[in-house]
Amino acid sequence: MAGLNGDPFLGIDDNIEKLQYNNNSKEVIDKEGLVVGIGEDSSNNKNNNQGGEKDMAGNSIHRSGSRPQLDLSKAEIQGNSEERDPTILLPNQTDDISHLALDIGGSLIKLVYFSRHEDQSVDDKRKKTVKERLGISNGNRRNFPILGGRLHFVKFETSKLNECLDFISSKQLHRGRIDSHHWNSEAPANENAVIKATGGGAYKFADLFKERLGVSIDKEDEMDCLVAGANFLLKAIRHEAFTHMEGHKEFVQIDHNDLFPYLLVNIGSGVSIIKVDGDGKFQRVSGTNVGGGTYWGLGRLLTKCNRPYSSVTPLFSFDELLELSQRGDNRTIDMLVGDIYGGMDYSKIGLSASTIASSFGKAISDKKELQDYRPEDISLSLLRMISYNIGQISYLNALRFGLKRIFFGGFFIRGHAYTMDTISFAVHFWSKGEAQAMFLRHEGFLGAVGAFMSYQKHGLDDLMVHHLVERFPMGAPYTGGKIHGPPLGDLNEKASIIEFCLTNMRQFMLYSISWMEKFVLKGTEITAPVPMAPPGTTGLGGFEVPSSRGATLRSDASALNVGVLHLVPTLEVFPLLADPKMYEPNTIDLSDHKELEYWFTVLSEHLPDLVDKAVASEGGTDDAKRRGDAFARAFSAHLARLMEEPAAYGKLGLANLLELREECLREFQFLDAYRSIKQRENEASLAVLPDLLLELDHMDEETRLLTLIEGVLAANIFDWGSRACVDLYHKGTIIEIYRMSRNKMQRPWQVDDFDLFKERMLGSEGKKPRPHKRALLFVDNSGADIVLGMLPLARELLRRGTEVVLVANSLPALNDVTAMELPDIVAEAAKHCDILRRAAEAGGLLVDAMNNNTLDGSRGNSSSVPLMVVENGCGSPCIDLRQVSSELAAAAKHADLVILEGMGRALHTNFNARFKCEALKLAMVKNQRLAEKLIKGKIYDCVCRYEPAT
Ligand SMILES: CC(C)(COP(=O)(O)O)[C@@H](O)C(=O)NCCC(=O)O
Ligand SMILES: [Mn+2]
């Protein structure tokens, strides 16, 4: 685990490190709550902090003694020293570490850089209270030096080094200092700034970096970096590795505990073959000089004379060569088995007539000059020759060391379907299916990631899969990993600003959106991606021509397939999952093309209505219309891309598509498209809540429980994401629809475990079961759904002595209620209900009300179990329980009942999830196809699935 002292990722603010001072213990606490010194100078801290030291909560913290210490000299308390945790300024803390690492290869320069976003939490009373109630002092983040930020991946051609330097300079990456949401361009350049770099260019261009940017290059060993990068990516990114056989891409789940040993084959200009046995444990066992440079170099030479005169550049680029190969036919140059055997297979040794017997062999007997061969054919022949050769040598090395898994990285691959198929074929063919070729999504960035890791202060190695969220910039799909031309005005950075705005909505109008215009122009450039290659083998031997022949090649597919990695150390795996390793959130797997087509159509058809709502939510201004238009284009383009290549952004499920839509909206600054609809529905529902509660209170226990569950199911009809429901809303008022929906609640429901649930709640044969200790209610929509459905159910649980935690979205998604909105709704409801009021007070939700007189005239003196609200950590209509907020994870610790409500959270995701505690899944199915497929029913059927603890 990383030590934290002086870590640059801690709250550095305008050259001054801010710390908090704990009056009682006289210990200096950094923002993460870690002890960094006890009234002594910093030099002593090193020893004090090593080993199993305790943090303020008594947790053990491991510190690395190698990390620099904070400079506490001239430290002073800012503001009132009587305050409980005043801020301490450290004016002399000048620990500047660059947040940039490079891998400067023979052909390409790969950049990995980090942009930090500080803890941007707004002053949210709910959060504070929840932290106190749930005993979270600083979440799990105390163990992490990274507060949160993003890792960006960019590459340049080495021959265009100047563009790379311009890019670094324009983004001030070499200054090594970031403030909360943008690079501090005013900050003076750091004289001693050092950038970690690997690859030959780290030596070759060191002087140029010093001259142009004033920074020194700290050279890191290339093999060390490759291995460190590969190990980190394989452990930390869920869908990093995949197989690619006959055009079919399949992600491979790597078990962290079973990663080693493996063979790493890095195909850059040349090829390195490395046996990896562990972190930092490896051996370069082989290599070949026939690699990417060979393909490019020979390709250029051999096609030189056929280069069209009209071309701007005199020679083919790597991507152009690859593109040529798409249209090539290698049979015109390669000598095939059939050429030798009179068109026959050599079946005795298992070679088909189409197998290449000798690459370029036909050129021996052909009476042709170089210019008589088509560049397309030459390129394909070369590509096959080199790919087969690498595949074969790799396999032989795997065999040498008894390794089954071979990971291929390096920019030679470029996400190019045919190259991967060829390598896979060779490995499969020579190993007779025993060994498996796997590819890495961050194929070209292994070295650069490794160089980044070598800073020792990044804290990346502490991160785990659930801390990383990969996002694909919606409005600027070209910036993630694309080989850059002249530095772009970085749209990603703008996107970060927007994200910052999300947590600081008050400020959001301050930022310019002129980049949007840029996007509208750029939008037209979003074209169809690399076509998936259908099966193309001939059986025994090699391949025929590339199966994607004739289609446009997006040879930079790999560039588009790499998103920005958001590091969110506060995310946790939901502790109540029965088997996190086996957990798969998506119920609908979109790798089935029919399924993908269906949902693609659903989302496309919903788009005009969504844009209307989004534009209206921003006042219908011209600017909002322009953004609405840009959003529609961007989202459609991403949908189209995913239709072409469903695995483009990792494994694709329906939940990912729905989340992508929300992210895309946010990126175009539609922060809450259904804001006014939600408000209207909340008000209408709150107005009828007292009558409903009165009605419920006159029922016997059994009828009441049934009515409550019916109420939840009926109110789940208010779903602005469902086409059928939106059509319904044009036909009646909220209350009319709610009544109709309730009246239609006929048991048995299509999935009906109500009797089981009732027995658990009320008992049987006079035996009273023990009430649940704590229930987590994953709530769904605003309006009737929360007010008339879930709140009355929560009230029933509270009445029975069960603590209730309402789990709501962190960010808006469709008409879902958010954790920010819930306390006000609860407060309104509590005006009409003592049970809710007392529980909300006990849960700290009615902090203000506690000072006022309550309904019955008493002062707020709660004698109730608490009602709390926690955020779930996501902004989607679905939920992936592998990545939830630390609040929710903390709340889950004492819970023995989970209630998931709504289509998104209980059906599209988690329908098959198993929990350690009891679970109740409640939803109305508002889509005909889903109803048929999932529950063999029809639209508006209901699901009440009760599952005892696993
Ligand atoms: C987005 C939704 C999952 C939201 O449903 P909810 O979770 O609110 O019940 C759902 O509206 C949906 O799947 N809509 C698309 C299908 C359709 O329009 O029929
Ligand atoms: Mn919803």
Side-chain angles (χ1 to χ4, degrees):
M1 243 181 252
L4 302 175
N5 290 357
D7 193 289
F9 291 118
L10 287 177
I12 297 168
D13 191 324
D14 292 327
N15 296 326
I16 294 171
E17 188 80 28
K18 287 186 177 180
L19 299 183
Q20 290 174 331
Y21 191 78
N22 182 309
N23 284 342
N24 301 330
S25 58
K26 292 279 181 285
E27 290 164 333
V28 179
I29 317 292
D30 68 23
K31 274 193 172 176
E32 310 302 285
L34 288 166
V35 182
V36 294
I38 309 180
E40 297 171 10
D41 71 35
S42 58
S43 57
N44 290 335
N45 294 341
K46 199 165 187 170
N47 297 327
N48 290 341
N49 291 338
Q50 279 177 340
E53 195 175 28
K54 304 275 181 199
D55 68 5
M56 293 306 288
N59 301 322
S60 265
I61 306 164
H62 172 87
R63 305 276 179 86
S64 156
S66 67
R67 295 167 202 264
Q69 309 301 302
L70 286 178
D71 185 349
L72 299 178
S73 60
K74 302 237 170 78
E76 60 174 88
I77 291 173
Q78 190 186 43
N80 181 1
S81 58
E82 299 303 308
E83 259 175 55
R84 206 169 146 253
D85 297 317
T87 298
I88 291 185
L89 303 181
L90 293 185
N92 293 338
Q93 173 54 34
T94 55
D95 191 4
D96 271 352
I97 297 290
S98 173
H99 303 85
L100 160 73
L102 297 158
D103 175 3
I104 314 176
S107 322
L108 291 170
I109 304 173
K110 284 76 66 176
L111 250 90
V112 173
Y113 70 93
F114 180 83
S115 65
R116 200 192 82 209
H117 47 180
E118 250 187 280
D119 188 5
Q120 297 151 358
S121 48
V122 281
D123 184 23
D124 183 349
K125 252 189 237 155
R126 183 201 61 79
K127 273 193 180 162
K128 272 191 200 151
T129 324
V130 145
K131 277 188 175 176
E132 276 167 28
R133 305 272 142 183
L134 298 174
I136 324 169
S137 41
N138 232 333
N140 268 8
R141 74 182 60 178
R142 67 174 55 244
N143 291 331
F144 297 98
I146 295 175
L147 287 176
R150 305 174 191 83
L151 270 190
H152 306 255
F153 302 87
V154 186
K155 57 186 185 279
F156 294 84
E157 283 183 15
T158 308
S159 59
K160 295 175 185 158
L161 177 63
N162 279 333
E163 286 177 9
C164 174
L165 294 169
D166 288 344
F167 179 83
I168 294 172
S169 169
S170 71
K171 294 178 82 59
Q172 300 289 297
L173 297 179
H174 56 303
R175 291 189 191 238
R177 189 176 282 287
I178 326 162
D179 65 22
S180 60
H181 57 282
H182 52 79
W183 296 94
N184 187 352
S185 51
E186 302 304 314
N190 179 4
E191 291 292 300
N192 306 316
V194 170
I195 295 176
K196 294 276 187 187
T198 186
Y203 295 83
K204 194 169 164 187
F205 301 118
D207 291 346
L208 195 64
F209 272 78
K210 188 77 191 169
E211 196 182 298
R212 282 279 315 270
L213 301 174
V215 293
S216 308
I217 296 278
D218 195 0
K219 298 159 198 83
E220 289 294 323
D221 178 75
E222 199 166 340
M223 295 301 127
D224 285 344
C225 290
L226 278 175
V227 172
N231 284 350
F232 167 72
L233 291 163
L234 283 166
K235 285 188 215 163
I237 313 289
R238 192 166 278 121
H239 297 136
E240 180 62 23
F242 60 92
T243 56
H244 206 290
M245 286 285 275
E246 302 191 357
H248 181 71
K249 182 176 185 177
E250 192 153 338
F251 289 98
V252 183
Q253 199 57 54
I254 305 289
D255 182 347
H256 300 175
N257 303 319
D258 189 24
L259 172 62
F260 306 113
Y262 67 85
L263 198 69
L264 176 63
V265 181
N266 190 62
I267 319 176
S269 302
V271 183
S272 284
I273 300 179
I274 306 161
K275 177 175 176 271
V276 184
D277 292 303
D279 286 317
K281 275 198 235 155
F282 65 88
Q283 195 190 345
R284 187 181 189 272
V285 290
S286 188
T288 160
N289 50 345
V290 181
T294 319
Y295 173 61
W296 196 0
L298 258 184
R300 275 188 164 192
L301 277 180
L302 296 176
T303 57
K304 203 173 184 174
C305 42
N306 277 337
R307 179 85 177 141
Y309 291 115
S310 56
S311 301
V312 184
T313 44
L315 294 165
F316 286 117
S317 70
F318 193 99
D319 288 339
E320 283 171 328
L321 269 178
L322 266 186
E323 192 164 343
L324 282 178
S325 74
Q326 292 285 118
R327 287 172 271 130
D329 180 353
N330 64 304
R331 286 171 304 188
T332 61
I333 305 178
D334 289 345
M335 187 186 284
L336 309 184
V337 168
D339 295 327
I340 304 170
Y341 283 79
M344 310 273 285
D345 291 346
Y346 183 2
S347 4
K348 198 175 160 196
I349 56 166
L351 297 177
S352 76
S354 62
T355 305
I356 301 171
S358 170
S359 289
F360 289 85
K362 255 193 194 141
I364 310 169
S365 47
D366 282 348
K367 292 194 173 51
K368 286 184 187 169
E369 295 300 320
L370 188 55
Q371 58 267 32
D372 297 331
Y373 292 99
R374 294 192 323 138
E376 290 85 345
D377 300 347
I378 292 174
S379 177
L380 179 61
S381 184
L382 255 182
L383 182 65
R384 294 189 65 169
M385 179 179 93
I386 292 165
S387 302
Y388 276 139
N389 192 52
I390 294 171
Q392 184 173 2
I393 294 175
S394 304
Y395 165 65
L396 290 173
N397 276 288
L399 186 69
R400 225 177 119 198
F401 297 102
L403 305 173
K404 296 265 180 279
R405 283 183 304 196
I406 312 175
F407 294 105
F408 289 87
F411 262 125
F412 171 70
I413 298 165
R414 298 199 178 204
H416 188 238
Y418 191 78
T419 307
M420 292 189 284
D421 276 355
T422 311
I423 291 173
S424 298
F425 181 84
V427 171
H428 187 84
F429 181 82
W430 291 110
S431 73
K432 298 194 171 57
E434 287 287 300
Q436 203 177 24
M438 283 180 272
F439 302 90
L440 302 173
R441 282 185 44 234
H442 292 83
E443 51 178 34
F445 289 102
L446 308 186
V449 170
F452 194 93
M453 307 285 295
S454 70
Y455 275 119
Q456 289 202 351
K457 305 172 79 187
H458 47 67
L460 285 189
D461 38 17
D462 293 331
L463 294 170
M464 293 196 280
V465 173
H466 57 273
H467 297 131
L468 291 155
V469 183
E470 191 174 14
R471 296 228 166 94
F472 294 85
M474 298 286 107
Y478 278 110
T479 49
K482 180 180 170 19
I483 299 184
H484 278 255
L488 293 171
D490 186 354
L491 305 185
N492 275 346
E493 214 73 283
K494 292 282 186 182
S496 343
I497 292 175
I498 293 166
E499 201 159 295
F500 176 76
C501 292
L502 279 170
T503 40
N504 295 271
M505 288 196 193
R506 288 164 288 147
Q507 296 179 19
F508 104 86
M509 292 312 290
L510 297 177
Y511 294 97
S512 100
I513 53 140
S514 58
W515 65 278
M516 201 62 66
E517 269 95 63
K518 276 189 213 160
F519 169 72
V520 176
L521 289 175
K522 278 235 145 234
T524 51
E525 288 176 27
I526 307 172
T527 52
V530 185
M532 288 294 287
T537 57
T538 53
L540 275 175
F543 292 75
E544 298 291 356
V545 290
S547 39
S548 43
R549 181 168 49 152
T552 327
L553 170 79
R554 173 66 65 72
S555 50
D556 64 344
S558 63
L560 295 166
N561 290 359
V562 175
V564 175
L565 274 188
H566 290 238
L567 316 183
V568 195
T570 50
L571 290 178
E572 293 183 38
V573 178
F574 186 57
L576 291 172
L577 281 178
D579 186 354
K581 271 194 187 155
M582 296 303 288
Y583 172 77
E584 165 56 53
N586 280 291
T587 312
I588 307 284
D589 182 359
L590 296 183
S591 53
D592 171 349
H593 206 74
K594 280 229 163 61
E595 206 62 54
L596 177 61
E597 248 169 32
Y598 172 76
W599 289 101
F600 172 87
T601 314
V602 165
L603 295 196
S604 302
E605 286 178 359
H606 185 239
L607 208 48
D609 184 60
L610 178 59
V611 172
D612 280 355
K613 298 282 180 308
V615 172
S617 76
E618 296 282 315
T621 58
D622 284 348
D623 166 57
K625 283 182 195 147
R626 219 171 39 241
R627 285 190 278 130
D629 187 42
F631 155 72
R633 282 201 213 197
F635 186 58
S636 304
H638 281 279
L639 280 183
R641 168 154 176 67
L642 288 167
M643 273 299 285
E644 292 275 353
E645 196 190 347
Y649 304 153
K651 198 169 173 217
L652 185 68
L654 180 53
N656 308 98
L657 267 191
L658 292 169
E659 186 173 16
L660 202 75
R661 180 171 68 182
E662 298 301 329
E663 272 166 21
C664 195
L665 274 171
R666 284 190 272 276
E667 202 148 317
F668 287 90
Q669 298 186 355
F670 294 110
L671 304 182
D672 192 355
Y674 290 82
R675 184 189 302 136
S676 55
I677 290 175
K678 292 195 291 184
Q679 258 163 24
R680 210 177 57 218
E681 292 191 3
N682 285 341
E683 279 163 23
S685 308
L686 282 164
V688 296
L689 178 67
D691 290 343
L692 174 68
L693 297 182
L694 213 65
E695 220 176 84
L696 286 166
D697 289 344
H698 283 97
M699 293 173 184
D700 62 76
E701 248 191 346
E702 200 175 318
T703 321
R704 194 166 67 228
L705 189 63
L706 176 61
T707 313
L708 284 165
I709 300 296
E710 278 178 357
V712 170
L713 295 171
N716 193 234
I717 201 166
F718 292 99
D719 166 11
W720 284 89
S722 148
R723 171 89 180 264
C725 294
V726 174
D727 289 346
L728 260 187
Y729 307 148
H730 297 301
K731 297 183 184 136
T733 65
I734 294 169
I735 300 304
E736 281 164 3
I737 292 168
Y738 177 63
R739 279 220 188 89
M740 181 221 40
S741 184
R742 275 199 77 138
N743 291 340
K744 281 193 143 188
M745 280 295 130
Q746 297 296 334
R747 282 192 69 203
W749 301 307
Q750 195 64 14
V751 176
D752 192 338
D753 293 336
F754 176 75
D755 291 337
L756 272 179
F757 182 62
K758 186 181 74 181
E759 194 178 321
R760 168 62 187 91
M761 291 288 281
L762 309 179
S764 60
E765 293 160 12
K767 269 196 231 148
K768 276 268 166 218
R770 103 196 123 71
H772 295 100
K773 192 170 161 7
R774 180 183 284 177
L776 302 183
L777 274 55
F778 287 76
V779 298
D780 183 6
N781 303 321
S782 304
D785 197 331
I786 179 70
V787 177
L788 306 177
M790 291 302 268
L791 272 187
L793 179 62
R795 176 179 179 258
E796 184 65 20
L797 289 160
L798 291 165
R799 195 206 297 262
R800 299 167 53 79
T802 301
E803 293 178 10
V804 174
V805 181
L806 300 173
V807 184
N809 261 22
S810 301
L811 291 172
L814 291 167
N815 59 322
D816 290 353
V817 68
T818 66
M820 278 275 264
E821 294 158 354
L822 255 180
D824 286 348
I825 296 173
V826 171
E828 265 315 299
K831 283 183 186 161
H832 310 287
C833 169
D834 272 348
I835 299 175
L836 285 176
R837 177 182 53 73
R838 280 200 304 271
E841 279 176 8
L845 279 177
L846 293 182
V847 184
D848 296 336
M850 284 171 81
N851 302 321
N852 303 327
N853 284 343
T854 52
L855 277 184
D856 50 14
S858 63
R859 297 287 294 176
N861 179 16
S862 299
S863 55
S864 164
V865 284
L867 169 66
M868 290 169 272
V869 171
V870 302
E871 62 173 331
N872 60 13
C874 58
S876 151
C878 301
I879 186 163
D880 178 344
L881 292 170
R882 289 171 303 197
Q883 296 188 301
V884 302
S885 71
S886 47
E887 273 179 37
L888 172 52
K893 285 197 181 111
H894 303 289
D896 48 4
L897 174 65
V898 163
I899 302 184
L900 288 157
E901 192 230 351
M903 240 165 106
R905 292 168 190 84
L907 302 184
H908 290 335
T909 47
N910 304 311
F911 189 59
N912 302 319
R914 292 281 168 269
F915 296 92
K916 286 179 190 157
C917 66
E918 292 166 54
L920 184 66
K921 297 167 185 174
L922 298 172
M924 178 188 273
V925 193
K926 293 148 289 189
N927 175 282
Q928 179 64 32
R929 184 183 165 105
L930 190 76
E932 284 167 21
K933 200 176 156 101
L934 210 59
I935 57 167
K936 297 194 168 46
K938 52 189 189 317
I939 190 162
Y940 304 127
D941 276 347
C942 289
V943 172
C944 171
R945 190 187 239 195
Y946 170 72
E947 291 155 344
T950 306

